[in-house]
Amino acid sequence: HVQLVESGGDSVQAGGSLRLSCAVSGYNFDDYYCVGWFRQAPGKEREGVASIDSGDYTVYSESVKGRFTITQDKAKHTHYLQMDNLTPDDTSMYICVAGCFNEGGYWWAQEWGQGTQVTVS
């Protein structure tokens, strides 16, 4: 049974920073894997934000590139999303994922967390 537990969501002012965490359990980290973050705002489609794989290869959506950084602690099976220079457009529910895939702007994930709310005003 795969569990993904997010934390770190909060309300911040524009220009501020937040760091999200996602602890993953029950997932196979022995082979190639991909973990990451999606986000979904009310009335908008869910979008892939950032991913990192077992080789530490990272992918970012164009909307966050240069402002967000995804990292991971392999020993803890935890990945993080450092979000800097936040804008109101970043207001969304941020959802941790495992078993992700992204290519040519198409993002997909197998396992999903419940999400953590980020509000930027």
Side-chain angles (χ1 to χ4, degrees), residues 4 18-22 24 29 33-38 48-61 64-74 78-84 94-100 102 107:
L4 301 94
L18 279 176
R19 187 190 194 214
L20 306 182
S21 299
C22 176
V24 184
F29 284 94
Y33 65 84
C34 171
V35 293
W37 297 89
F38 279 60
V49 174
S51 68
I52 187 167
D53 71 12
S54 47
D56 290 323
Y57 179 76
T58 58
V59 178
Y60 297 93
S61 68
V64 307
K65 196 173 291 184
R67 300 187 298 121
F68 290 13
T69 304
I70 187 169
T71 57
Q72 64 179 331
D73 183 329
K74 293 181 179 180
T78 299
H79 56 284
Y80 309 92
L81 187 67
Q82 177 66 41
M83 306 185 293
D84 297 318
Y94 284 74
I95 308 163
C96 167
V97 298
C100 50
N102 47 57
W107 295 67

Side-chain angles (χ1 to χ4, degrees), residues 13-15 44 86-92 118-121:
Q13 291 190 337
K44 295 186 178 180
L86 286 160
T87 74
D89 286 341
D90 295 316
T91 294
S92 191
V118 172
T119 303
V120 185
S121 59

